[in-house]
Amino acid sequence: MEGNMKFEYLKYLSESSDKKAILHDLMTAYGQDVWNYAYSMTRKWDQADDITQEVFLKVYRNLYSFRCESSVKTWLLAITRNMTLDYRKSAFLRRVTLVDYFLPGGTAQASAEEEVMAELALDDMWSLVLELPVKYREVLILFAHHQLSMKEMAEVLGVSEGTVKSRLYHARCKISKLKESRRIGSEG
């Protein structure tokens, strides 16, 4: 909540406001949250970098359109989600993804970033979350990592609060099942 109070002045922006300074403040306060959310949806460092850059370019261009109907963080995460969904739909992404992952011999090729991320993802819970389908993964990340309320998550995702609650419930059930299957698999 205090982060939102810090940006209370956004309600009173004028053409004479220093957009670069405001953008710098927003990037400093929320840049890591935007990147983490983009990464959680794409699971690729380079795509998260690109999306984060695009999000803040969009924010810079549309700074005066922020209506303060939600928190700044909710606004930024909603933009991040939409940019990620748009990024995924692009034909360029589909072509690059196929080229990046397969060698002529048909074996998967892991980039250095993916290898580093695999080492960092030793934390079982994070690994389990990343295995979930996007609609469950993103609701868990918004809830647990970004600590958004049900209402804020509904705003970011563009769904009802009931849908958020349902997805959160199903995500938790899927995590429990994955944990149980891993536990059984390690015993056998």
Side-chain angles (χ1 to χ4, degrees):
M1 186 59 122
E2 69 185 48
N4 201 36
M5 300 304 271
K6 177 181 177 183
F7 293 103
E8 186 70 22
Y9 68 86
L10 290 177
K11 292 179 183 177
Y12 310 104
L13 289 180
S14 68
E15 292 298 321
S16 63
S17 299
D18 185 356
K19 285 174 65 174
K20 288 181 183 177
I22 294 167
L23 183 67
H24 181 268
D25 290 346
L26 289 171
M27 289 174 70
T28 300
Y30 298 108
Q32 193 61 49
D33 289 331
V34 168
W35 188 92
N36 287 340
Y37 188 43
Y39 178 80
S40 72
M41 291 182 69
T42 63
R43 294 190 239 178
K44 289 187 164 204
W45 287 38
D46 56 336
Q47 288 177 14
D49 289 344
D50 292 346
I51 291 166
T52 300
Q53 182 177 0
E54 290 298 317
V55 165
F56 284 107
L57 284 171
K58 186 170 189 165
V59 166
Y60 182 80
R61 288 190 294 265
N62 298 300
L63 197 53
Y64 300 120
S65 68
F66 178 60
R67 297 183 304 264
C68 298
E69 293 172 358
S70 62
S71 72
V72 173
K73 185 175 185 176
T74 302
W75 180 56
L76 290 170
L77 292 177
I79 293 170
T80 304
R81 181 176 191 267
N82 292 333
M83 296 292 280
T84 302
L85 295 174
D86 290 347
Y87 195 89
R88 278 196 195 145
K89 291 177 188 174
S90 75
F92 172 76
L93 174 68
R94 287 190 294 274
R95 284 194 308 271
V96 170
T97 300
L98 288 175
V99 170
D100 282 350
Y101 278 94
F102 297 100
L103 294 172
T107 58
Q109 173 187 5
S111 69
E113 290 88 7
E114 290 168 337
E115 289 176 14
V116 168
M117 199 57 214
E119 289 175 21
L120 294 174
L122 291 177
D123 175 35
D124 286 339
M125 192 55 72
W126 182 245
S127 297
L128 293 173
V129 169
L130 289 177
E131 289 181 28
L132 293 176
V134 172
K135 71 180 186 178
Y136 299 124
R137 184 177 352 136
E138 68 183 351
V139 75
L140 275 177
I141 290 167
L142 290 172
F143 179 75
H145 180 72
H146 295 289
Q147 300 176 345
L148 297 185
S149 68
M150 294 292 171
K151 181 180 178 184
E152 290 173 321
M153 287 189 287
E155 288 175 28
V156 169
L157 300 173
V159 296
S160 70
E161 287 184 55
T163 300
V164 169
K165 289 176 185 175
S166 173
R167 287 183 184 177
L168 197 53
Y169 171 79
H170 289 293
R172 289 176 174 152
C173 289
K174 288 184 179 295
I175 288 287
S176 294
K177 287 178 184 175
L178 284 169
K179 284 171 59 175
E180 183 63 21
S181 68
R182 280 195 180 174
R183 188 186 60 77
I184 292 170
S186 66
E187 291 175 356

